[in-house]
PDB file of all heavy atoms in Angstrom:
ATOM      1  N   ARG A 301      29.740 -13.815   9.853  1.00  0.00           N
ATOM      2  CA  ARG A 301      29.273 -12.833  10.830  1.00  0.00           C
ATOM      3  C   ARG A 301      28.894 -11.550  10.120  1.00  0.00           C
ATOM      4  O   ARG A 301      27.925 -10.885  10.493  1.00  0.00           O
ATOM      5  CB  ARG A 301      30.357 -12.558  11.865  1.00  0.00           C
ATOM      6  CG  ARG A 301      30.339 -13.593  12.937  1.00  0.00           C
ATOM      7  CD  ARG A 301      31.157 -13.180  14.145  1.00  0.00           C
ATOM      8  NE  ARG A 301      31.655 -14.393  14.746  1.00  0.00           N
ATOM      9  CZ  ARG A 301      32.932 -14.749  14.724  1.00  0.00           C
ATOM     10  NH1 ARG A 301      33.827 -13.961  14.195  1.00  0.00           N
ATOM     11  NH2 ARG A 301      33.291 -15.881  15.273  1.00  0.00           N
ATOM     12  N   GLU A 308      21.149  -7.670  10.096  1.00  0.00           N
ATOM     13  CA  GLU A 308      20.692  -6.922  11.271  1.00  0.00           C
ATOM     14  C   GLU A 308      20.660  -5.422  11.003  1.00  0.00           C
ATOM     15  O   GLU A 308      19.701  -4.759  11.352  1.00  0.00           O
ATOM     16  CB  GLU A 308      21.613  -7.206  12.448  1.00  0.00           C
ATOM     17  CG  GLU A 308      21.630  -8.656  12.905  1.00  0.00           C
ATOM     18  CD  GLU A 308      20.414  -9.045  13.698  1.00  0.00           C
ATOM     19  OE1 GLU A 308      20.005  -8.255  14.560  1.00  0.00           O
ATOM     20  OE2 GLU A 308      19.855 -10.128  13.459  1.00  0.00           O
ATOM     21  N   ARG A 314      28.444  -0.649   7.547  1.00  0.00           N
ATOM     22  CA  ARG A 314      29.318   0.265   6.795  1.00  0.00           C
ATOM     23  C   ARG A 314      30.120   1.128   7.754  1.00  0.00           C
ATOM     24  O   ARG A 314      31.274   1.445   7.501  1.00  0.00           O
ATOM     25  CB  ARG A 314      28.471   1.140   5.862  1.00  0.00           C
ATOM     26  CG  ARG A 314      27.714   0.316   4.841  1.00  0.00           C
ATOM     27  CD  ARG A 314      27.472   1.085   3.564  1.00  0.00           C
ATOM     28  NE  ARG A 314      26.867   2.381   3.777  1.00  0.00           N
ATOM     29  CZ  ARG A 314      25.636   2.711   3.374  1.00  0.00           C
ATOM     30  NH1 ARG A 314      24.903   1.838   2.724  1.00  0.00           N
ATOM     31  NH2 ARG A 314      25.168   3.905   3.590  1.00  0.00           N
ATOM     32  N   GLY A 317      33.402  -0.342   8.760  1.00  0.00           N
ATOM     33  CA  GLY A 317      34.432  -0.597   7.757  1.00  0.00           C
ATOM     34  C   GLY A 317      34.199  -1.861   6.960  1.00  0.00           C
ATOM     35  O   GLY A 317      35.127  -2.386   6.352  1.00  0.00           O
ATOM     36  N   ARG A 434      18.121 -18.158  17.256  1.00  0.00           N
ATOM     37  CA  ARG A 434      19.421 -18.090  16.600  1.00  0.00           C
ATOM     38  C   ARG A 434      20.491 -18.584  17.561  1.00  0.00           C
ATOM     39  O   ARG A 434      20.478 -18.243  18.731  1.00  0.00           O
ATOM     40  CB  ARG A 434      19.702 -16.641  16.197  1.00  0.00           C
ATOM     41  CG  ARG A 434      21.039 -16.471  15.546  1.00  0.00           C
ATOM     42  CD  ARG A 434      21.312 -15.038  15.139  1.00  0.00           C
ATOM     43  NE  ARG A 434      22.683 -14.947  14.703  1.00  0.00           N
ATOM     44  CZ  ARG A 434      23.683 -14.695  15.509  1.00  0.00           C
ATOM     45  NH1 ARG A 434      23.481 -14.447  16.775  1.00  0.00           N
ATOM     46  NH2 ARG A 434      24.923 -14.684  15.059  1.00  0.00           N
ATOM     47  N   SER A 437      27.384 -17.501  17.122  1.00  0.00           N
ATOM     48  CA  SER A 437      28.519 -18.141  16.443  1.00  0.00           C
ATOM     49  C   SER A 437      29.718 -18.268  17.357  1.00  0.00           C
ATOM     50  O   SER A 437      30.642 -19.016  17.068  1.00  0.00           O
ATOM     51  CB  SER A 437      28.892 -17.327  15.205  1.00  0.00           C
ATOM     52  OG  SER A 437      29.322 -16.039  15.584  1.00  0.00           O
ATOM     53  N   LEU A 440      31.577 -16.603  25.192  1.00  0.00           N
ATOM     54  CA  LEU A 440      32.662 -16.425  26.153  1.00  0.00           C
ATOM     55  C   LEU A 440      32.542 -17.473  27.246  1.00  0.00           C
ATOM     56  O   LEU A 440      33.479 -18.188  27.539  1.00  0.00           O
ATOM     57  CB  LEU A 440      32.571 -15.011  26.746  1.00  0.00           C
ATOM     58  CG  LEU A 440      33.880 -14.303  27.042  1.00  0.00           C
ATOM     59  CD1 LEU A 440      34.802 -14.336  25.851  1.00  0.00           C
ATOM     60  CD2 LEU A 440      33.598 -12.864  27.435  1.00  0.00           C
ATOM     61  N   LYS A 441      31.344 -17.575  27.858  1.00  0.00           N
ATOM     62  CA  LYS A 441      31.174 -18.510  28.967  1.00  0.00           C
ATOM     63  C   LYS A 441      30.133 -19.565  28.658  1.00  0.00           C
ATOM     64  O   LYS A 441      30.283 -20.720  28.959  1.00  0.00           O
ATOM     65  CB  LYS A 441      30.727 -17.754  30.223  1.00  0.00           C
ATOM     66  CG  LYS A 441      31.781 -16.857  30.792  1.00  0.00           C
ATOM     67  CD  LYS A 441      31.385 -16.402  32.184  1.00  0.00           C
ATOM     68  CE  LYS A 441      32.273 -15.280  32.664  1.00  0.00           C
ATOM     69  NZ  LYS A 441      31.911 -13.985  32.031  1.00  0.00           N
ATOM     70  N   LYS A 444      24.046 -19.274  24.722  1.00  0.00           N
ATOM     71  CA  LYS A 444      22.608 -19.090  24.931  1.00  0.00           C
ATOM     72  C   LYS A 444      21.986 -18.815  23.575  1.00  0.00           C
ATOM     73  O   LYS A 444      22.478 -17.963  22.837  1.00  0.00           O
ATOM     74  CB  LYS A 444      22.353 -17.864  25.824  1.00  0.00           C
ATOM     75  CG  LYS A 444      23.053 -17.897  27.151  1.00  0.00           C
ATOM     76  CD  LYS A 444      22.807 -16.577  27.870  1.00  0.00           C
ATOM     77  CE  LYS A 444      23.647 -16.445  29.120  1.00  0.00           C
ATOM     78  NZ  LYS A 444      23.655 -15.064  29.633  1.00  0.00           N
TER      79      LYS A 444
ATOM     80  N   ASP B 104      32.046   5.279   2.396  1.00  0.00           N
ATOM     81  CA  ASP B 104      31.859   5.210   3.851  1.00  0.00           C
ATOM     82  C   ASP B 104      32.672   4.125   4.548  1.00  0.00           C
ATOM     83  O   ASP B 104      33.284   4.359   5.571  1.00  0.00           O
ATOM     84  CB  ASP B 104      30.372   5.064   4.194  1.00  0.00           C
ATOM     85  CG  ASP B 104      29.658   4.044   3.325  1.00  0.00           C
ATOM     86  OD1 ASP B 104      30.352   3.193   2.745  1.00  0.00           O
ATOM     87  OD2 ASP B 104      28.425   4.106   3.235  1.00  0.00           O
ATOM     88  N   THR B 108      36.260   4.177   7.618  1.00  0.00           N
ATOM     89  CA  THR B 108      36.585   3.436   8.838  1.00  0.00           C
ATOM     90  C   THR B 108      37.788   2.533   8.629  1.00  0.00           C
ATOM     91  O   THR B 108      38.690   2.463   9.438  1.00  0.00           O
ATOM     92  CB  THR B 108      35.373   2.583   9.257  1.00  0.00           C
ATOM     93  OG1 THR B 108      34.230   3.409   9.285  1.00  0.00           O
ATOM     94  CG2 THR B 108      35.598   1.973  10.619  1.00  0.00           C
ATOM     95  N   ARG B 121      22.557   1.962  16.759  1.00  0.00           N
ATOM     96  CA  ARG B 121      22.530   0.944  15.717  1.00  0.00           C
ATOM     97  C   ARG B 121      23.435  -0.218  16.079  1.00  0.00           C
ATOM     98  O   ARG B 121      24.547  -0.310  15.605  1.00  0.00           O
ATOM     99  CB  ARG B 121      22.978   1.551  14.381  1.00  0.00           C
ATOM    100  CG  ARG B 121      21.934   2.389  13.701  1.00  0.00           C
ATOM    101  CD  ARG B 121      22.417   2.836  12.347  1.00  0.00           C
ATOM    102  NE  ARG B 121      21.382   3.573  11.657  1.00  0.00           N
ATOM    103  CZ  ARG B 121      20.427   3.016  10.941  1.00  0.00           C
ATOM    104  NH1 ARG B 121      20.389   1.703  10.818  1.00  0.00           N
ATOM    105  NH2 ARG B 121      19.516   3.746  10.339  1.00  0.00           N
ATOM    106  N   GLY B 125      20.166  -8.893  17.184  1.00  0.00           N
ATOM    107  CA  GLY B 125      20.014 -10.351  17.262  1.00  0.00           C
ATOM    108  C   GLY B 125      21.343 -11.086  17.429  1.00  0.00           C
ATOM    109  O   GLY B 125      21.370 -12.307  17.394  1.00  0.00           O
ATOM    110  N   GLU B 130      29.621 -10.977  19.773  1.00  0.00           N
ATOM    111  CA  GLU B 130      29.604 -11.004  18.316  1.00  0.00           C
ATOM    112  C   GLU B 130      29.628  -9.584  17.740  1.00  0.00           C
ATOM    113  O   GLU B 130      30.287  -9.334  16.734  1.00  0.00           O
ATOM    114  CB  GLU B 130      28.351 -11.734  17.805  1.00  0.00           C
ATOM    115  CG  GLU B 130      28.440 -13.249  17.905  1.00  0.00           C
ATOM    116  CD  GLU B 130      27.176 -13.930  17.425  1.00  0.00           C
ATOM    117  OE1 GLU B 130      26.075 -13.585  17.912  1.00  0.00           O
ATOM    118  OE2 GLU B 130      27.272 -14.787  16.563  1.00  0.00           O
ATOM    119  N   ASN B 138      37.664  -6.523   9.378  1.00  0.00           N
ATOM    120  CA  ASN B 138      38.693  -6.435   8.347  1.00  0.00           C
ATOM    121  C   ASN B 138      39.963  -7.160   8.753  1.00  0.00           C
ATOM    122  O   ASN B 138      40.585  -7.840   7.936  1.00  0.00           O
ATOM    123  CB  ASN B 138      38.978  -4.976   8.009  1.00  0.00           C
ATOM    124  CG  ASN B 138      37.812  -4.376   7.250  1.00  0.00           C
ATOM    125  OD1 ASN B 138      37.321  -4.967   6.306  1.00  0.00           O
ATOM    126  ND2 ASN B 138      37.340  -3.227   7.700  1.00  0.00           N
ATOM    127  N   GLU B 161      41.490 -15.192  15.895  1.00  0.00           N
ATOM    128  CA  GLU B 161      40.167 -15.034  16.504  1.00  0.00           C
ATOM    129  C   GLU B 161      40.293 -14.914  18.021  1.00  0.00           C
ATOM    130  O   GLU B 161      39.583 -14.126  18.646  1.00  0.00           O
ATOM    131  CB  GLU B 161      39.262 -16.206  16.124  1.00  0.00           C
ATOM    132  CG  GLU B 161      37.810 -15.891  16.446  1.00  0.00           C
ATOM    133  CD  GLU B 161      36.882 -17.056  16.151  1.00  0.00           C
ATOM    134  OE1 GLU B 161      37.149 -18.164  16.631  1.00  0.00           O
ATOM    135  OE2 GLU B 161      35.881 -16.834  15.466  1.00  0.00           O
ATOM    136  N   ASP B 182      27.460 -12.871  26.561  1.00  0.00           N
ATOM    137  CA  ASP B 182      26.778 -13.880  25.743  1.00  0.00           C
ATOM    138  C   ASP B 182      25.296 -13.602  25.570  1.00  0.00           C
ATOM    139  O   ASP B 182      24.556 -14.444  25.068  1.00  0.00           O
ATOM    140  CB  ASP B 182      26.997 -15.270  26.357  1.00  0.00           C
ATOM    141  CG  ASP B 182      28.472 -15.649  26.346  1.00  0.00           C
ATOM    142  OD1 ASP B 182      29.153 -15.284  25.377  1.00  0.00           O
ATOM    143  OD2 ASP B 182      28.933 -16.282  27.306  1.00  0.00           O
ATOM    144  N   ASP B 183      24.862 -12.415  26.007  1.00  0.00           N
ATOM    145  CA  ASP B 183      23.451 -12.059  25.827  1.00  0.00           C
ATOM    146  C   ASP B 183      23.278 -11.306  24.512  1.00  0.00           C
ATOM    147  O   ASP B 183      24.195 -10.632  24.056  1.00  0.00           O
ATOM    148  CB  ASP B 183      22.987 -11.160  26.976  1.00  0.00           C
ATOM    149  CG  ASP B 183      22.876 -11.938  28.271  1.00  0.00           C
ATOM    150  OD1 ASP B 183      22.643 -13.153  28.191  1.00  0.00           O
ATOM    151  OD2 ASP B 183      23.042 -11.329  29.337  1.00  0.00           O
TER     152      ASP B 183
END
Side-chain angles (χ1 to χ4, degrees):
Chain A
R301 277 194 210 110
E308 297 283 317
R314 299 209 308 246
R434 178 180 172 272
S437 63
L440 217 50
K441 291 193 192 77
K444 304 175 189 167
Chain B
D104 45 20
T108 310
R121 283 185 176 275
E130 283 179 307
N138 289 312
E161 194 183 52
D182 297 324
D183 289 333

